[in-house]
Amino acid sequence: MQPMAAKLILWHELDADRPVVLLAEDEPIIRFDIADELRRLGCQVIEASNADEAIDIVKSTARLDLVVTDVRMPGNRDGLDVARAVRQERPGLMTVVMSGHLAPNDEHNHLIDLFLSKPTPSDKLATAIMEMIKASPANRDG
Amino acid sequence: MKQEAAAGETILIVDGDVITRTVIAEYLRHCGFRVLEAGTGTEALQALQHPDFPIDIVLSDVELPGEINGFELSHWIRKSMPEVKVLLAGAVERIADTAGDLCEEGPHLAKPYDHRLILDHIKRLRAR
């Protein structure tokens, strides 16, 4: 685990002033689109291509300001598992869930701070994310 | 640092380790490049074939999760998109062995990455 910690310190040093958003989305083109838009608005974006990667980041990254996750992704875990990991590991951190399949119900309420149905244009999604970040300075962790 | 990178050039980083990928990608963005990230060879192929994301340079790990490894990705690029420059990275012995078997040419980088070496290699690729 030591090499990972060293890498994370480096990542943390690169840009201490911009919000850090974890974006978990398995469709690379959708991910690029959203990440580009968020970067254009001033965010640092950590791109995870599946839930396992996202959960690793949730557990280990020094700073996160918001998590955005798709629900259906390849592998044994999905976006709701990412949201569960956020609640467990970093309870103050807000989670945006986006899906074209999930109909959120009462069971999901405690996991999801904002639900966006897919497809949502990347500029609208990024604007909604920025508003959440601005409204929640306490999200900054570590 | 930003002045050293040509405006508008896009690099695709392909690495199965999200943290390695993120750190290198953010470093190259800091140097002024536009950077796309792929976690698998399959994702890389999707990116390469998408018209909205023209890619100039691919920096790929040799060993990737999934069905397509870095060498296979590199072969595909050389055959189908010869204008795209490829930089492969991996453990030195593994690269030497497999590159020899496949008669693969081109620059190779050792992992773990040395950031300055990456930038140096990219500059040389751009100068070709």
Side-chain angles (χ1 to χ4, degrees):
Chain A
M1 291 306 285
Q2 197 53 42
M4 181 180 283
K7 287 176 197 166
L8 285 169
I9 290 168
L10 182 59
W11 153 255
H12 185 63
E13 284 173 348
L14 280 172
D15 260 313
D17 300 329
R18 294 185 294 145
V20 181
V21 176
L22 168 62
L23 171 62
E25 165 64 63
D26 63 310
E27 291 288 337
I29 304 303
I30 296 174
R31 195 175 68 234
F32 297 161
D33 235 8
I34 298 170
D36 264 4
E37 197 62 34
L38 286 169
R39 289 191 183 105
R40 198 179 64 75
L41 295 174
C43 293
Q44 288 175 103
V45 183
I46 303 177
E47 298 184 35
S49 59
N50 58 54
D52 287 337
E53 284 189 349
I55 290 167
D56 280 349
I57 294 290
V58 166
K59 288 182 175 173
S60 59
T61 300
R63 239 187 73 209
L64 278 178
D65 295 284
L66 195 88
V67 175
V68 184
T69 181
D70 188 15
V71 174
R72 280 193 189 175
M73 290 185 279
N76 295 326
R77 296 191 279 188
D78 65 13
L80 294 175
D81 292 314
V82 176
R84 283 185 195 99
V86 171
R87 288 292 182 263
Q88 194 173 343
E89 303 285 333
R90 315 174 84 118
L93 187 62
M94 294 238 244
T95 305
V96 177
V97 171
M98 51 187 188
S99 174
H101 306 95
L102 179 76
N105 57 38
D106 290 348
E107 283 178 38
H108 304 125
N109 280 346
H110 71 290
L111 296 175
I112 302 173
D113 295 298
L114 176 66
F115 178 81
L116 294 168
S117 56
K118 284 173 76 177
T120 297
S122 56
D123 55 340
K124 287 190 179 170
L125 178 65
T127 303
I129 290 167
M130 290 307 288
E131 282 172 10
M132 284 187 78
I133 291 172
K134 282 177 192 163
S136 322
N139 275 353
R140 193 162 286 200
D141 205 339
Chain B
M1 184 88 75
K2 282 192 178 179
Q3 295 86 335
E4 294 176 8
E9 274 195 309
T10 301
I11 300 176
L12 173 65
I13 309 275
V14 194
D15 199 301
D17 179 329
V18 61
I19 293 169
T20 301
R21 198 171 70 225
T22 301
V23 171
I24 294 300
E26 200 61 18
Y27 169 71
L28 291 172
R29 285 185 192 107
H30 189 70
C31 294
F33 293 96
R34 183 179 192 220
V35 183
L36 305 178
E37 300 174 42
T40 64
T42 306
E43 281 196 357
L45 287 180
Q46 283 179 261
L48 283 158
Q49 293 175 89
H50 199 282
D52 289 353
F53 299 96
I55 290 159
D56 302 293
I57 296 169
V58 174
L59 167 59
S60 176
D61 193 359
V62 168
E63 299 189 56
L64 297 170
E67 294 172 356
I68 301 169
N69 68 33
F71 284 115
E72 289 161 333
L73 177 64
S74 173
H75 276 297
W76 184 91
I77 294 168
R78 288 190 204 290
K79 189 177 162 192
S80 310
M81 305 179 88
E83 71 281 7
V84 176
K85 298 180 171 85
V86 181
L87 189 50
L88 283 176
V92 176
E93 312 77 39
R94 167 95 174 112
I95 286 186
D97 290 350
T98 316
D101 291 347
L102 296 171
C103 300
E104 179 69 18
E105 294 176 355
H108 300 135
L109 268 173
K111 284 185 85 175
Y113 290 117
D114 177 324
H115 291 197
R116 288 184 187 172
L117 269 182
I118 290 180
L119 193 58
D120 191 44
H121 273 80
I122 287 170
K123 282 183 195 165
R124 278 192 244 158
L125 277 178
R126 288 165 56 207
R128 281 188 178 184

Coordinates of all heavy atoms in Angstrom, one line a residue, chain A residues 3-48:
Chain A
P3 N 3.4 2.4 -2.0 CA 3.5 3.2 -3.2 C 2.2 4.0 -3.5 O 2.3 5.1 -4.0 CB 3.7 2.1 -4.3 CG 4.3 0.9 -3.5 CD 3.6 1.0 -2.1
M4 N 1.0 3.4 -3.2 CA -0.2 4.1 -3.5 C -0.3 5.4 -2.7 O -0.6 6.4 -3.2 CB -1.4 3.2 -3.2 CG -2.7 3.9 -3.5 SD -4.1 2.8 -3.1 CE -4.2 1.7 -4.4
A5 N 0.1 5.3 -1.4 CA 0.1 6.5 -0.6 C 1.0 7.6 -1.2 O 0.7 8.8 -1.2 CB 0.5 6.1 0.8
A6 N 2.2 7.2 -1.7 CA 3.1 8.1 -2.2 C 2.5 8.8 -3.4 O 2.6 10.0 -3.6 CB 4.4 7.4 -2.6
K7 N 1.9 8.0 -4.3 CA 1.2 8.6 -5.5 C 0.2 9.6 -5.1 O 0.0 10.6 -5.7 CB 0.6 7.5 -6.3 CG 1.5 6.6 -7.0 CD 0.7 5.5 -7.7 CE 1.6 4.3 -8.1 NZ 0.7 3.2 -8.5
L8 N -0.6 9.3 -4.0 CA -1.7 10.1 -3.6 C -1.2 11.4 -3.1 O -1.8 12.5 -3.3 CB -2.6 9.4 -2.6 CG -3.4 8.4 -3.2 CD1 -4.1 7.5 -2.2 CD2 -4.5 9.0 -4.1
I9 N -0.1 11.4 -2.4 CA 0.5 12.7 -1.9 C 0.9 13.5 -3.1 O 0.6 14.7 -3.1 CB 1.7 12.4 -1.0 CG1 1.3 11.7 0.3 CG2 2.5 13.7 -0.7 CD1 2.4 11.1 1.1
L10 N 1.4 12.9 -4.1 CA 1.8 13.7 -5.3 C 0.6 14.3 -5.9 O 0.6 15.5 -6.3 CB 2.5 12.7 -6.3 CG 3.0 13.3 -7.6 CD1 4.0 14.5 -7.3 CD2 3.7 12.3 -8.4
W11 N -0.5 13.5 -6.1 CA -1.7 14.0 -6.7 C -2.2 15.1 -5.9 O -2.6 16.2 -6.4 CB -2.7 12.8 -6.7 CG -4.2 13.2 -6.6 CD1 -5.0 13.1 -5.5 CD2 -4.9 13.7 -7.7 NE1 -6.2 13.6 -5.9 CE2 -6.2 14.0 -7.2 CE3 -4.7 14.0 -9.0 CZ2 -7.2 14.5 -7.9 CZ3 -5.7 14.6 -9.8 CH2 -7.0 14.8 -9.2
H12 N -2.2 15.0 -4.6 CA -2.7 16.1 -3.7 C -1.9 17.3 -3.9 O -2.4 18.4 -3.8 CB -2.6 15.6 -2.2 CG -3.2 16.5 -1.2 ND1 -4.5 16.8 -1.2 CD2 -2.6 17.2 -0.2 CE1 -4.7 17.7 -0.2 NE2 -3.6 17.9 0.4
E13 N -0.6 17.2 -4.1 CA 0.3 18.4 -4.2 C 0.1 19.1 -5.5 O 0.3 20.3 -5.6 CB 1.8 17.9 -4.2 CG 2.2 17.6 -2.7 CD 3.6 17.0 -2.7 OE1 4.1 16.7 -3.8 OE2 4.2 17.0 -1.7
L14 N -0.4 18.4 -6.5 CA -0.5 19.0 -7.9 C -1.4 20.2 -7.9 O -1.1 21.2 -8.5 CB -1.0 17.9 -8.9 CG 0.1 17.0 -9.4 CD1 -0.5 15.9 -10.2 CD2 1.1 17.7 -10.2
D15 N -2.6 20.1 -7.2 CA -3.5 21.1 -7.3 C -4.3 21.2 -6.0 O -5.3 20.5 -5.9 CB -4.5 20.9 -8.5 CG -4.1 21.8 -9.7 OD1 -3.9 23.0 -9.4 OD2 -4.0 21.3 -10.8
A16 N -3.9 22.0 -5.1 CA -4.5 22.0 -3.8 C -5.8 22.9 -3.8 O -6.6 22.8 -2.8 CB -3.5 22.4 -2.7
D17 N -6.0 23.7 -4.7 CA -7.0 24.8 -4.6 C -8.3 24.5 -5.4 O -9.3 25.2 -5.2 CB -6.4 26.1 -5.2 CG -5.2 26.5 -4.4 OD1 -5.2 26.2 -3.2 OD2 -4.3 27.2 -5.0
R18 N -8.3 23.5 -6.2 CA -9.5 23.2 -7.0 C -10.3 22.1 -6.4 O -9.7 21.1 -5.9 CB -9.2 22.9 -8.5 CG -8.5 24.1 -9.2 CD -8.3 23.8 -10.6 NE -7.3 22.8 -10.8 CZ -7.4 21.9 -11.8 NH1 -8.4 21.9 -12.7 NH2 -6.4 21.0 -11.9
P19 N -11.6 22.1 -6.5 CA -12.4 21.0 -6.0 C -12.1 19.7 -6.7 O -11.8 19.7 -7.9 CB -13.9 21.4 -6.3 CG -13.9 22.8 -6.8 CD -12.5 23.2 -7.1
V20 N -12.1 18.6 -5.9 CA -11.8 17.3 -6.5 C -13.1 16.5 -6.6 O -13.8 16.3 -5.6 CB -10.8 16.5 -5.6 CG1 -10.5 15.2 -6.2 CG2 -9.6 17.3 -5.4
V21 N -13.4 16.1 -7.8 CA -14.6 15.3 -8.1 C -14.2 13.9 -8.5 O -13.4 13.7 -9.4 CB -15.5 15.9 -9.1 CG1 -16.7 15.1 -9.5 CG2 -16.0 17.3 -8.7
L22 N -14.8 12.9 -7.9 CA -14.6 11.5 -8.4 C -15.8 11.2 -9.3 O -16.9 11.3 -8.9 CB -14.6 10.5 -7.2 CG -14.7 9.0 -7.5 CD1 -13.5 8.6 -8.4 CD2 -14.8 8.2 -6.3
L23 N -15.4 10.8 -10.5 CA -16.5 10.5 -11.5 C -16.3 9.0 -11.9 O -15.3 8.6 -12.5 CB -16.3 11.4 -12.8 CG -17.1 11.1 -14.0 CD1 -18.6 11.2 -13.7 CD2 -16.7 12.0 -15.2
A24 N -17.4 8.2 -11.6 CA -17.3 6.8 -11.9 C -18.3 6.5 -13.0 O -19.6 6.7 -12.8 CB -17.7 6.0 -10.7
E25 N -17.8 6.2 -14.2 CA -18.7 5.9 -15.4 C -17.9 5.0 -16.3 O -16.7 5.3 -16.6 CB -18.9 7.3 -16.1 CG -19.5 7.3 -17.5 CD -20.8 6.6 -17.6 OE1 -21.8 7.1 -17.0 OE2 -20.9 5.5 -18.2
D26 N -18.6 3.9 -16.7 CA -17.8 2.9 -17.5 C -17.8 3.3 -19.0 O -17.0 2.7 -19.7 CB -18.4 1.5 -17.3 CG -19.8 1.4 -17.7 OD1 -20.6 2.3 -17.3 OD2 -20.2 0.5 -18.5
E27 N -18.7 4.1 -19.5 CA -18.7 4.5 -20.9 C -17.7 5.6 -21.1 O -17.9 6.7 -20.7 CB -20.1 5.0 -21.3 CG -21.2 3.9 -21.3 CD -21.0 2.9 -22.5 OE1 -20.3 3.3 -23.5 OE2 -21.4 1.8 -22.4
P28 N -16.6 5.3 -21.8 CA -15.5 6.3 -21.8 C -15.9 7.6 -22.5 O -15.5 8.7 -22.0 CB -14.4 5.6 -22.6 CG -15.0 4.4 -23.2 CD -16.2 4.0 -22.4
I29 N -16.7 7.5 -23.5 CA -17.1 8.7 -24.2 C -17.9 9.7 -23.3 O -17.7 10.9 -23.2 CB -17.8 8.4 -25.5 CG1 -17.0 7.5 -26.4 CG2 -18.2 9.7 -26.3 CD1 -15.6 8.0 -26.7
I30 N -18.9 9.0 -22.6 CA -19.7 9.8 -21.6 C -18.8 10.4 -20.6 O -18.9 11.6 -20.2 CB -20.8 8.9 -21.0 CG1 -21.8 8.5 -22.1 CG2 -21.6 9.7 -19.9 CD1 -22.8 7.5 -21.6
R31 N -17.9 9.6 -20.1 CA -17.0 10.0 -19.0 C -16.1 11.2 -19.5 O -16.0 12.2 -18.7 CB -16.1 8.8 -18.6 CG -15.4 9.0 -17.2 CD -14.7 7.8 -16.8 NE -13.6 7.5 -17.7 CZ -13.4 6.3 -18.2 NH1 -14.2 5.3 -18.0 NH2 -12.3 6.1 -19.0
F32 N -15.5 11.1 -20.7 CA -14.7 12.2 -21.2 C -15.5 13.5 -21.2 O -15.1 14.5 -20.9 CB -14.2 11.9 -22.6 CG -13.3 10.7 -22.8 CD1 -13.2 10.1 -24.0 CD2 -12.7 10.2 -21.7 CE1 -12.4 9.0 -24.2 CE2 -11.9 9.1 -21.8 CZ -11.7 8.5 -23.1
D33 N -16.7 13.3 -21.7 CA -17.6 14.5 -21.9 C -17.9 15.2 -20.6 O -17.7 16.4 -20.5 CB -19.0 14.0 -22.5 CG -19.3 14.7 -23.7 OD1 -18.5 15.4 -24.3 OD2 -20.5 14.5 -24.2
I34 N -18.3 14.4 -19.6 CA -18.6 15.0 -18.3 C -17.3 15.6 -17.6 O -17.3 16.7 -17.1 CB -19.3 14.0 -17.4 CG1 -20.6 13.5 -18.0 CG2 -19.5 14.6 -16.0 CD1 -21.2 12.3 -17.3
A35 N -16.2 14.8 -17.7 CA -15.0 15.2 -17.1 C -14.4 16.5 -17.7 O -14.0 17.4 -17.0 CB -13.9 14.1 -17.2
D36 N -14.5 16.6 -19.1 CA -14.1 17.8 -19.8 C -14.9 19.0 -19.3 O -14.3 20.1 -19.0 CB -14.4 17.6 -21.3 CG -13.2 17.2 -22.0 OD1 -12.1 16.9 -21.4 OD2 -13.3 17.1 -23.3
E37 N -16.2 18.8 -19.1 CA -17.0 19.9 -18.7 C -16.7 20.4 -17.3 O -16.6 21.5 -17.0 CB -18.5 19.5 -18.8 CG -19.5 20.6 -18.8 CD -19.4 21.6 -20.0 OE1 -19.0 21.1 -21.1 OE2 -19.7 22.7 -19.8
L38 N -16.5 19.4 -16.4 CA -16.1 19.7 -15.0 C -14.8 20.4 -14.9 O -14.6 21.3 -14.2 CB -16.1 18.4 -14.2 CG -17.5 17.9 -13.8 CD1 -17.4 16.5 -13.2 CD2 -18.2 18.8 -12.9
R39 N -13.8 19.9 -15.8 CA -12.5 20.6 -15.8 C -12.6 22.0 -16.3 O -11.9 22.9 -15.8 CB -11.5 19.8 -16.6 CG -11.1 18.4 -15.9 CD -10.0 17.7 -16.6 NE -9.7 16.5 -16.0 CZ -10.1 15.3 -16.5 NH1 -10.6 15.2 -17.7 NH2 -9.9 14.2 -15.8
R40 N -13.5 22.2 -17.3 CA -13.6 23.5 -17.8 C -14.2 24.5 -16.7 O -13.9 25.6 -16.7 CB -14.6 23.4 -19.0 CG -14.6 24.6 -19.9 CD -15.6 24.4 -21.1 NE -17.0 24.3 -20.6 CZ -17.8 25.4 -20.2 NH1 -17.3 26.6 -20.2 NH2 -19.0 25.2 -19.8
L41 N -15.0 23.9 -15.8 CA -15.5 24.7 -14.7 C -14.6 24.8 -13.5 O -14.9 25.4 -12.5 CB -16.9 24.2 -14.3 CG -18.0 24.2 -15.4 CD1 -19.2 23.5 -14.9 CD2 -18.3 25.7 -15.7
G42 N -13.4 24.2 -13.7 CA -12.4 24.4 -12.6 C -12.2 23.2 -11.7 O -11.4 23.4 -10.7
C43 N -12.8 22.1 -11.9 CA -12.6 21.0 -11.0 C -11.4 20.1 -11.4 O -11.0 20.1 -12.6 CB -13.8 20.0 -11.1 SG -15.3 20.8 -10.4
Q44 N -10.8 19.4 -10.5 CA -10.0 18.3 -10.8 C -10.9 17.1 -10.8 O -11.7 16.9 -9.9 CB -8.9 18.1 -9.6 CG -7.9 19.1 -9.6 CD -7.0 18.9 -8.4 OE1 -5.9 18.4 -8.5 NE2 -7.4 19.3 -7.3
V45 N -10.7 16.2 -11.8 CA -11.6 15.1 -11.9 C -10.8 13.8 -11.8 O -9.8 13.6 -12.6 CB -12.4 15.1 -13.2 CG1 -13.4 13.9 -13.2 CG2 -13.1 16.4 -13.3
I46 N -11.1 12.9 -10.9 CA -10.6 11.6 -10.9 C -11.5 10.7 -11.6 O -12.7 10.5 -11.2 CB -10.3 11.0 -9.5 CG1 -9.5 12.0 -8.7 CG2 -9.7 9.7 -9.5 CD1 -9.2 11.6 -7.2
E47 N -11.1 10.1 -12.7 CA -12.0 9.2 -13.6 C -11.8 7.8 -13.2 O -10.8 7.2 -13.3 CB -11.6 9.4 -15.0 CG -11.8 10.9 -15.5 CD -11.5 11.0 -17.0 OE1 -11.8 10.0 -17.8 OE2 -11.0 12.0 -17.4
A48 N -12.9 7.2 -12.7 CA -12.9 5.7 -12.4 C -13.8 5.1 -13.5 O -14.9 5.5 -13.8 CB -13.5 5.5 -11.0

